[in-house]
Structures are given as C-alpha cells and as structure tokens.
Amino acid sequence: TKLRINLLMACLFIFANIISLNIKADNEPNNNIGQAESLALKSSVSGALGYLINTVTDGQDFYVITVPKDGRLTIWETVSGALLGGINIKDANGTDLSWGAGWQNKTDSCYYANLKAGTYYLEVYNFGSSQGSYSITAKYWAAKYDTETEPDNTYQQANTVSLNSAFTAHVGYSNAINGTDDNDYYKIVL
C-alpha cells in the first residue's frame, strides 16, 4: 500500500506540473499552407510544437501574412522549454525566402528586406524531437517611396516621364509571381 500511495502521489505531482505549464496552443489544424492561420502585421501569436494531437505529433504550424505595400517583413520567434524551433518566410508557392532558428528559451528572427506587396506564409517548425511553446511577432516597415506602375521591365513597357519631373520607383523587390524586379524602363517625352 505504501508503494501505491507513492505512485499515486507521483502521478498527481506530474499531472499538476503538466497543468501548471499553461501552454498556449495554436488553433489546429494549421500544419500546411492550405490550413494556415491568419497573422496580422504588427501582432503576435503563441503556439506549441512537439505534442500529440489525435495520435500525431504536431511538428509544424503555418500562418498567412498579407503585406499591403513593398517593404521589409521581420518575424521574431521566442521559444520556451526544450523546443528547438525554426521559422521560415515562404512565398505563395511555398518557396523559402528567409529562415531563422530559435534555441531553447531564446529569441531569434528572420526577415526579408525587399518584399513586394502580396501574400506570404510563415512556417514555425520543430527541428528536434522536443516539446515546448513559442511566440512569434510579425513586424512590417513599408518602403519609403511608392513604386512605379508595373510591368516596366522592357523598353516596350516603359513608363512615360515628363521632362523636368520627379518620380519614385523600386528596383530589387521580389515575390513568387513576378520574381525580382531588376529593371525599370522609362521614356521621356520631349
């Protein structure tokens, strides 16, 4: 009977500790781009990875982010517990644009500086066999100048500019659909 009481006390202790962890789980399922949960710019969300959900270990979570104008997107990730958490910014096709890794009880970030307006995905994943929670924050800074009318990547698509006028434009911004905007063409009317 003393052994049974000790086992019962040990089970109660473990159960009480599990409850006291107060792990904030994300909305499931969100394990692929098609199930991505919305994440507003300049906001935060918390979640957990490495735990069993319906007999499957939750190894990754996806979020969808809409960037309204060209600019810089930075994602901050803080992990707790033993979690080895990674983060990826992905384009609409699921291609990785930037990545970072958050180690146990640490904060890390990933960013993409010349991002065109559009829809992007954030993947938070467990690259170990550990468990823990995470918090991510999406920060966005709009480009200083407005972009020109696209497409203008060939002389046939050139934007018309009046003599003695000023204009703003972007070169080097990219997204999955149009790739990187490496060239801008203009024609001057005399």
Side-chain angles (χ1 to χ4, degrees):
T1 29
K2 189 173 184 180
L3 178 61
R4 286 184 182 168
I5 292 174
N6 286 340
L7 284 173
L8 179 60
M9 294 302 288
C11 288
L12 288 173
F13 175 77
I14 291 169
F15 181 73
N17 282 326
I18 289 172
I19 290 174
S20 70
L21 287 175
N22 195 20
I23 294 172
K24 167 90 171 86
D26 44 291
N27 295 322
E28 293 291 345
N30 64 338
N31 301 319
N32 58 53
I33 285 176
Q35 300 170 330
E37 188 177 330
S38 182
L39 176 61
L41 294 172
K42 300 181 181 179
S43 70
S44 298
V45 67
S46 297
L49 292 172
Y51 296 94
L52 283 175
I53 299 174
N54 297 326
T55 70
V56 177
T57 301
D58 185 20
Q60 63 198 30
D61 293 328
F62 281 84
Y63 298 89
V64 60
I65 300 171
T66 301
V67 176
K69 287 180 57 177
D70 294 0
R72 176 188 173 115
L73 177 65
T74 299
I75 306 297
W76 293 93
E77 173 192 44
T78 301
V79 298
S80 63
L83 183 63
L84 301 172
I87 49 177
N88 291 327
I89 298 173
K90 296 178 173 285
D91 64 21
N93 295 324
T95 303
D96 291 345
L97 300 176
S98 180
W99 63 273
W103 299 94
Q104 302 163 337
N105 297 309
K106 303 277 188 222
T107 299
D108 192 22
S109 67
C110 68
Y111 70 92
Y112 201 89
N114 298 327
L115 202 59
K116 284 187 170 244
T119 300
Y120 296 91
Y121 295 90
L122 172 63
E123 176 189 22
V124 183
Y125 62 94
N126 183 356
F127 62 85
S129 58
S130 56
Q131 298 173 329
S133 60
Y134 64 83
S135 173
I136 52 173
T137 302
K139 298 285 185 176
Y140 162 76
W141 296 266
K144 185 175 181 177
Y145 300 107
D146 288 332
T147 189
E148 74 284 1
T149 303
E150 292 283 355
D152 62 347
N153 301 321
T154 66
Y155 73 90
Q156 294 92 343
Q157 300 169 325
N159 286 312
T160 302
V161 200
S162 299
L163 196 59
N164 298 321
S165 67
F167 60 92
T168 62
H170 293 169
V171 173
Y173 284 75
S174 62
N175 67 16
I177 297 163
N178 300 319
T180 302
D181 183 15
D182 291 327
N183 301 303
D184 290 339
Y185 284 82
Y186 299 92
K187 61 182 168 186
I188 301 170
V189 179
L190 300 174

